[in-house]
Amino acid sequence: MKIIDLYIIKKYLGTFGFMLGLLTIIVLVIDVQAKAPRIESNGFTVNEFLINFYPYWIINLIITFMSILVFISVIFFTSRIANNTEIVAIISSGASFHRFARPYLITSGFIAIVALLLNHFVLPLANIKKNELEPYTYSALNRDEFTGSSEVSTQLSKTEYIFLKSYNKKEKRGSGFIYQKFDKNRRLIYQLNANDFYWENKKNHFVLNNYLEKTINKDDTEKLGNGNTMNKGFGHPPEELFPDVLLGQNKTTPELIRFIDREKEKGNANLNNYLNELYQRTSMPVSVIILTFLGLSLSSQKKRGGLGLNLAIGIALAFVFVFSFEVLKVVSANKTLTPLFAMWLPNLVFGPVALYLYFKRANQ
């Protein structure tokens, strides 16, 4: 059986590698052709993006579609060896279906562990590079969300707030700065206004221009102060003070957990996008094992329609699986479902189905 194990593992990894390369080339060509006009209209060249953007984008693509690739790969090569009656010969020689399935478990477990490590530690580093340039592939309206100026507000703690009339995330500067601090009874005790401001990267603080500060005493008297410039730090860089939806993608899992805990301490309740990112990093690799056994169960028996029918069923189920993740992200972001439940729901649905079909096939 060791020879057969190696044979199946080589078939699994070989087919998976082929599918991976094929998908990467096809999607890369289509994406470059579609985005080239936007890239060039923003002052970049396609060659610059091929060097500085697409290598990191491909890593993200591979991780995102790894479950689909695994599922289709298993169905493809298993259907072929089933149609060649190789599975019948292996089981007829005295091996049980469970023993036949062992190399599938070993290989899918190996891929899942690799995907787990990539998701938690490598992909965020690639996303930092990818997300620097990705806004320049968007339409003008969507690009302004990341590179233009907009009104921003944030909660520093349960008693501290910042309001910005206009802030440019790319340039890290803006106007209409207001910082407010309240006491435990929600009474305003300090307010700082500035006409404009910018982030001093080397010194890790904001520089406020033309500021006015007001301190409110316990007897409701006020102490006023003003000046031309003030240096003010809030303990974190602008990316974390005024986070966007891409911030969670850029952090390794330990960093993301610390960020979420810090935001909870501040009283921020809008964390579902970041929690979705956190929980999906584990649930997607686990789905590799689930979809491997689902694919094995669906394609390990010779049937009318052969490879074509199995692939059609596999592709349909794979896209339902991945599409369900995207739908559940939106549902969770709207707080209809908890992020933990939403990101594990596809596995909770497909897992029992895969288990049922596997034991049904093993008992035939």
Side-chain angles (χ1 to χ4, degrees):
M1 281 300 292
K2 288 184 178 180
I3 296 174
I4 295 173
D5 289 345
L6 290 173
Y7 172 72
I8 292 172
I9 290 171
K10 287 179 182 178
K11 284 279 188 182
Y12 192 144
L13 293 177
T15 307
F16 176 66
F18 172 77
M19 293 286 185
L20 193 63
L22 185 64
L23 176 76
T24 299
I25 293 170
I26 292 173
V27 176
L28 178 62
V29 171
I30 293 172
D31 197 76
V32 170
Q33 288 182 336
K35 292 177 178 176
R38 291 177 185 170
I39 292 170
E40 292 171 349
S41 67
N42 284 300
F44 297 93
T45 66
V46 173
N47 285 339
E48 286 178 304
F49 264 67
L50 286 172
I51 295 170
N52 300 314
F53 172 75
Y54 278 106
Y56 308 104
W57 179 83
I58 287 170
I59 294 173
N60 187 281
L61 177 79
I62 290 170
I63 296 296
T64 301
F65 290 99
M66 184 171 287
S67 298
I68 287 182
L69 292 172
V70 162
F71 190 44
I72 295 174
S73 298
V74 169
I75 285 179
F76 182 80
F77 86 82
T78 306
S79 295
R80 290 191 65 181
I81 63 176
N83 289 338
N84 293 336
T85 65
E86 294 176 58
I87 297 176
V88 173
I90 292 169
I91 294 176
S92 298
S93 67
S96 67
F97 187 78
H98 299 299
R99 179 62 185 85
F100 169 74
R102 184 185 294 178
Y104 287 84
L105 176 62
I106 293 170
T107 313
S108 62
F110 170 74
I111 294 174
I113 290 171
V114 172
L116 202 63
L117 294 173
L118 290 174
N119 259 358
H120 286 282
F121 299 103
V122 178
L123 183 60
L125 302 179
N127 283 336
I128 293 173
K129 296 289 187 180
K130 175 183 76 74
N131 291 337
E132 286 179 0
L133 293 173
E134 189 160 37
Y136 299 103
T137 66
Y138 297 161
S139 63
L141 181 62
N142 292 331
R143 184 173 65 250
D144 284 344
E145 181 183 347
F146 300 97
T147 62
S149 298
S150 60
E151 189 173 352
V152 176
S153 63
T154 190
Q155 184 175 351
L156 300 177
S157 69
K158 294 181 180 179
T159 58
E160 295 176 280
Y161 302 85
I162 292 178
F163 303 92
L164 310 176
K165 186 176 182 180
S166 177
Y167 177 65
N168 187 293
K169 292 180 179 179
K170 180 184 176 184
E171 298 179 358
K172 299 180 183 179
R173 61 172 60 242
S175 60
F177 178 95
I178 301 174
Y179 165 75
Q180 294 180 330
K181 186 174 183 179
F182 297 81
D183 63 15
K184 61 181 180 180
N185 297 318
R186 308 301 298 167
R187 174 178 166 273
L188 182 66
I189 57 175
Y190 179 78
Q191 180 166 311
L192 175 63
N193 295 58
N195 287 349
D196 58 82
F197 65 96
Y198 64 91
W199 173 254
E200 182 65 58
N201 198 46
K202 292 182 180 179
K203 297 181 179 179
N204 291 324
H205 63 228
F206 287 99
V207 178
L208 311 179
N209 296 319
N210 300 319
Y211 70 89
L212 171 66
E213 58 180 343
K214 177 173 66 174
T215 303
I216 301 157
N217 300 315
K218 291 183 179 180
D219 59 0
D220 289 335
T221 58
E222 297 180 356
K223 179 182 177 182
L224 301 177
N226 61 64
N228 293 326
T229 61
M230 173 190 282
N231 298 330
K232 185 74 173 176
F234 297 99
H236 304 288
E239 294 82 3
E240 295 194 12
L241 290 174
F242 318 118
D244 56 34
V245 293
L246 299 179
L247 179 67
Q249 298 178 11
N250 295 349
K251 290 185 174 296
T252 62
T253 295
E255 293 171 341
L256 182 57
I257 292 172
R258 285 195 295 269
F259 171 76
I260 291 171
D261 290 341
R262 189 163 60 243
E263 290 297 304
K264 286 180 179 179
E265 290 176 4
K266 289 161 53 176
N268 187 352
N270 298 316
L271 295 173
N272 281 17
N273 283 325
Y274 305 112
L275 290 168
N276 286 342
E277 173 69 25
L278 176 63
Y279 296 133
Q280 185 181 349
R281 290 181 182 183
T282 301
S283 64
M284 286 293 280
V286 170
S287 69
V288 168
I289 299 174
I290 293 172
L291 292 181
T292 292
F293 280 86
L294 182 59
L296 170 63
S297 304
L298 290 172
S299 58
S300 59
Q301 194 169 24
K302 190 173 182 179
K303 63 182 72 170
R304 185 176 299 174
L307 179 60
L309 178 62
N310 287 337
L311 277 179
I313 294 172
I315 291 170
L317 285 174
F319 276 97
V320 167
F321 183 83
V322 171
F323 181 70
S324 67
F325 266 107
E326 299 306 313
V327 171
L328 288 166
K329 281 183 184 179
V330 176
V331 172
S332 174
N334 293 329
K335 300 184 179 180
T336 306
L337 293 175
T338 63
L340 179 61
F341 181 69
M343 291 300 96
W344 279 92
L345 184 57
N347 287 345
L348 294 175
V349 172
F350 278 77
V353 171
L355 202 62
Y356 168 76
L357 292 175
Y358 171 77
F359 280 104
K360 181 182 177 181
R361 173 67 183 91
N363 292 328
Q364 287 178 345

